[in-house]
Amino acid sequence: GNSVTQMEGPVTLSEEAFLTINCTYTATGYPSLFWYVQYPGEGLQLLLKATKADDKGSNKGFEATYRKETTSFHLEKGSVQVSDSAVYFCALILIAGGTSYGKLTFGQGTILTVHP
Amino acid sequence: EAEVAQSPRYKITEKSQAVAFWCDPISGHATLYWYRQILGQGPELLVQFQDESVVDDSQLPKDRFSAERLKGVDSTLKIQPAELGDSAMYLCASSLGPATNLFFGPGTRLTVL
């Protein structure tokens, strides 16, 4: 089946530190990959996405590159801010082939806390 | 900016009672999803609609959960009877079609006592 595995948290950083949250996936078909963010008390928001191998998604200073050879989609940011404190979810959706077409499958989430 | 609406935002109920959640997707979005998010875990798909038809309910506990989207617009998710293990955040999402960007509502937080 399809699955997403994220690095376990929580992750605690100081402001302006470099952030990496690891994400690897298993898929029976051809997935698009996503990072969603959930701020305290809010719903999930799409942070960035990549639809094919070697694509780089970016938004708000965050980046992630679709690596088919390592089945990974690691999230990075060069300098985090206190306002980045949230839960980050890696996810995939099959766009062709395999079962569960159109079904968004999430990782377990990584809690990020940024201190001033 | 159009948003997915959900109500209520919070619900507290006692076990064995019935509860219902409502979702109004973004206008024009044909695909609607209900997800359950247990604290500390990622969301898990309960049911996916394409217009008014169910296309995936493989993870829906059908003995107690039901979902409908009668006119292919808004949707209701019902639990009867509620159990302690049903305490979670219930998220609704919509998209123009399968495998396109999902937009999530704020969720309904259910607490079963």
Side-chain angles (χ1 to χ4, degrees), chain B residues 24-99:
Chain B
D24 190 14
I26 293 173
S27 178
H29 281 195
T31 310
L32 185 146
Y33 310 77
W34 283 102
Y35 280 84
R36 178 171 60 185
Q37 185 180 13
I38 296 171
L39 189 64
Q41 299 181 20
E44 177 188 33
L45 180 68
L46 291 176
V47 61
Q48 177 181 342
F49 289 92
Q50 183 64 29
D51 298 309
E52 66 276 7
S53 300
V54 173
V55 296
D56 187 343
D57 63 356
S58 57
Q59 300 302 312
L60 188 71
K62 299 182 186 62
D63 57 334
R64 297 186 300 108
F65 285 64
S66 64
E68 61 182 17
R69 192 184 185 198
L70 293 177
K71 297 182 179 179
V73 181
D74 59 337
S75 175
T76 301
L77 178 69
K78 297 180 181 178
I79 307 174
Q80 183 173 15
E83 296 181 353
L84 295 178
D86 296 332
S87 294
M89 177 76 85
Y90 291 83
L91 298 167
C92 180
S94 70
S95 64
L96 284 171

Side-chain angles (χ1 to χ4, degrees), chain A residues 53-70:
Chain A
D54 299 325
D55 268 3
K56 177 184 284 187
S58 61
N59 186 26
K60 300 181 180 179
F62 291 89
E63 293 183 340
T65 301
Y66 189 142
R67 300 289 188 197
K68 187 176 179 181
E69 63 276 13
T70 54

